[in-house]
Amino acid sequence: MGKKSNLINVLGMVATVIGMGATLLSNWANEQKMNERIKEEVDAALAEQNSDDDEEEEA
């Protein structure tokens, strides 16, 4: 009975570690998506600002 108990404990720990790893990986992926979105928004804002500056210089 002791071996079964140890096996269950080990499997529980492995499942916990896998769950934590999956959570960390998911958080990292979400952070990468957010960084990409921020970069796109900043690039768009800078492009708009540059086009506004160009229009002012031409006027």
Side-chain angles (χ1 to χ4, degrees):
M1 193 77 175
K3 289 184 179 182
K4 283 186 179 181
S5 177
N6 286 341
L7 179 62
I8 291 172
N9 285 337
V10 168
L11 290 176
M13 292 294 275
V14 168
T16 300
V17 169
I18 290 173
M20 289 175 64
T23 300
L24 290 173
L25 185 61
S26 176
N27 288 342
W28 178 82
N30 288 335
E31 185 177 333
Q32 296 303 310
K33 287 180 189 176
M34 182 62 70
N35 287 343
E36 184 64 28
R37 184 167 179 189
I38 290 170
K39 183 181 181 301
E40 289 172 1
E41 293 289 328
V42 168
D43 288 345
L46 288 174
E48 182 179 332
Q49 184 179 10
N50 287 340
S51 69
D52 289 346
D53 289 345
D54 291 344
E55 289 174 3
E56 289 176 5
E57 288 176 7
E58 290 175 1

